[in-house]
Amino acid sequence: MNDVLDQGLPLHPLQVQRETVRDWRQIGIGIMGLADMLIKLGLQYDTNEAQRFCDELGFVMANEVIYASAELASKFGTYPMYNEKVLESEFIKNNTTDLTYEFVKKHGLRNSQLLTIAPFK
Protein backbone atom coordinates (compact mmCIF):
# COMPACT_ATOMS: atom_id res chain seq x y z
CA MET A 1 0.00 0.00 0.00
CA ASN A 2 2.82 2.38 0.82
CA ASP A 3 4.39 1.90 -2.63
CA VAL A 4 1.06 2.59 -4.35
CA LEU A 5 1.19 6.13 -2.97
CA ASP A 6 4.45 6.83 -4.77
CA GLN A 7 3.36 5.18 -8.01
CA GLY A 8 0.03 6.99 -8.10
CA LEU A 9 1.25 10.40 -6.95
CA PRO A 10 1.65 11.95 -10.40
CA LEU A 11 -1.77 10.66 -11.46
CA HIS A 12 -3.71 12.97 -9.15
CA PRO A 13 -5.18 15.76 -11.29
CA LEU A 14 -4.83 18.60 -8.79
CA GLN A 15 -1.65 19.93 -7.20
CA VAL A 16 -3.36 20.08 -3.79
CA GLN A 17 -4.14 16.35 -4.07
CA ARG A 18 -0.53 15.53 -4.92
CA GLU A 19 0.70 17.63 -2.00
CA THR A 20 -1.74 16.01 0.44
CA VAL A 21 -0.76 12.50 -0.62
CA ARG A 22 2.94 13.39 -0.40
CA ASP A 23 2.70 15.16 2.97
CA TRP A 24 0.38 12.76 4.81
CA ARG A 25 0.94 9.38 3.07
CA GLN A 26 -2.45 7.96 4.07
CA ILE A 27 -3.11 4.28 3.43
CA GLY A 28 -6.19 2.25 4.21
CA ILE A 29 -5.52 -1.33 5.18
CA GLY A 30 -8.81 -3.00 6.05
CA ILE A 31 -10.40 -6.32 6.71
CA MET A 32 -12.58 -8.52 4.53
CA GLY A 33 -14.63 -11.54 5.47
CA LEU A 34 -15.11 -10.66 9.12
CA ALA A 35 -18.67 -11.97 9.25
CA ASP A 36 -17.63 -15.20 7.49
CA MET A 37 -14.76 -15.64 9.94
CA LEU A 38 -17.10 -15.22 12.89
CA ILE A 39 -19.44 -17.85 11.43
CA LYS A 40 -16.58 -20.30 10.96
CA LEU A 41 -15.47 -19.67 14.54
CA GLY A 42 -19.01 -20.25 15.78
CA LEU A 43 -19.34 -16.69 17.10
CA GLN A 44 -22.70 -15.01 16.61
CA TYR A 45 -22.37 -11.53 15.14
CA ASP A 46 -23.07 -8.72 17.65
CA THR A 47 -22.59 -10.82 20.78
CA ASN A 48 -20.24 -9.86 23.60
CA GLU A 49 -17.97 -12.78 22.68
CA ALA A 50 -17.77 -11.65 19.04
CA GLN A 51 -17.11 -8.08 20.10
CA ARG A 52 -14.29 -9.20 22.43
CA PHE A 53 -12.79 -11.25 19.62
CA CYS A 54 -13.02 -8.27 17.22
CA ASP A 55 -11.41 -6.00 19.82
CA GLU A 56 -8.49 -8.42 20.10
CA LEU A 57 -8.25 -8.77 16.33
CA GLY A 58 -8.35 -4.99 15.93
CA PHE A 59 -5.55 -4.54 18.45
CA VAL A 60 -3.34 -7.04 16.62
CA MET A 61 -4.07 -5.44 13.24
CA ALA A 62 -3.42 -1.92 14.51
CA ASN A 63 -0.24 -2.88 16.34
CA GLU A 64 1.12 -4.69 13.28
CA VAL A 65 0.42 -1.90 10.78
CA ILE A 66 1.81 0.71 13.18
CA TYR A 67 4.98 -1.34 13.60
CA ALA A 68 5.25 -1.87 9.83
CA SER A 69 4.88 1.87 9.22
CA ALA A 70 7.63 2.54 11.76
CA GLU A 71 9.84 0.00 9.97
CA LEU A 72 9.28 1.87 6.72
CA ALA A 73 10.06 5.15 8.50
CA SER A 74 13.35 3.68 9.72
CA LYS A 75 14.31 3.02 6.07
CA PHE A 76 12.68 5.89 4.16
CA GLY A 77 11.89 8.55 6.74
CA THR A 78 8.64 9.72 8.26
CA TYR A 79 5.79 11.33 6.36
CA PRO A 80 6.57 15.05 5.93
CA MET A 81 3.90 16.27 8.36
CA TYR A 82 4.91 13.83 11.13
CA ASN A 83 5.65 15.18 14.58
CA GLU A 84 6.11 13.54 17.95
CA LYS A 85 2.62 14.54 19.10
CA VAL A 86 1.54 11.35 17.34
CA LEU A 87 2.88 9.51 20.39
CA GLU A 88 0.25 11.29 22.51
CA SER A 89 -2.58 9.96 20.34
CA GLU A 90 -5.08 7.77 22.18
CA PHE A 91 -5.11 5.51 19.13
CA ILE A 92 -1.36 4.93 19.35
CA LYS A 93 -1.40 4.56 23.15
CA ASN A 94 -4.31 2.10 23.15
CA ASN A 95 -3.32 0.01 20.13
CA THR A 96 0.37 -0.75 20.52
CA THR A 97 2.48 -3.03 22.61
CA ASP A 98 5.34 -1.47 24.58
CA LEU A 99 7.75 -2.77 21.92
CA THR A 100 5.82 -1.12 19.09
CA TYR A 101 5.36 2.14 20.99
CA GLU A 102 9.12 2.37 21.64
CA PHE A 103 9.86 1.53 18.00
CA VAL A 104 7.56 4.35 16.84
CA LYS A 105 9.16 6.67 19.40
CA LYS A 106 12.57 5.88 17.90
CA HIS A 107 11.70 5.93 14.18
CA GLY A 108 8.38 7.73 13.74
CA LEU A 109 5.78 6.65 11.19
CA ARG A 110 5.86 6.56 7.41
CA ASN A 111 2.08 6.93 7.10
CA SER A 112 -0.32 9.28 8.87
CA GLN A 113 -3.33 6.99 8.59
CA LEU A 114 -3.13 3.24 8.39
CA LEU A 115 -6.49 1.50 8.76
CA THR A 116 -9.84 1.87 7.06
CA ILE A 117 -12.38 -0.37 8.72
CA ALA A 118 -16.13 0.09 8.75
CA PRO A 119 -17.73 0.37 12.19
CA PHE A 120 -18.78 -2.86 13.90
CA LYS A 121 -22.17 -1.52 14.91
Side-chain angles (χ1 to χ4, degrees), residues 51-101:
Q51 288 178 12
R52 279 191 299 275
F53 175 81
C54 289
D55 284 344
E56 291 174 22
L57 177 63
F59 178 87
V60 170
M61 284 183 61
N63 185 67
E64 291 300 317
V65 297
I66 292 166
Y67 192 92
S69 186
E71 278 187 314
L72 289 169
S74 75
K75 295 175 186 171
F76 304 111
T78 63
Y79 62 92
M81 299 303 285
Y82 177 82
N83 68 58
E84 292 180 3
K85 287 185 180 182
V86 166
L87 295 169
E88 299 170 19
S89 157
E90 291 299 314
F91 179 77
I92 295 293
K93 289 179 183 178
N94 294 328
N95 290 286
T96 55
T97 62
D98 291 341
L99 175 70
T100 297
Y101 185 87

Side-chain angles (χ1 to χ4, degrees), residues 6-26:
D6 295 326
Q7 293 171 1
L9 189 60
L11 302 176
H12 292 283
L14 302 176
Q15 181 64 28
V16 68
Q17 291 171 315
R18 292 187 294 275
E19 290 169 1
T20 299
V21 170
R22 180 199 65 217
D23 291 348
W24 294 99
R25 302 192 60 80
Q26 300 164 315

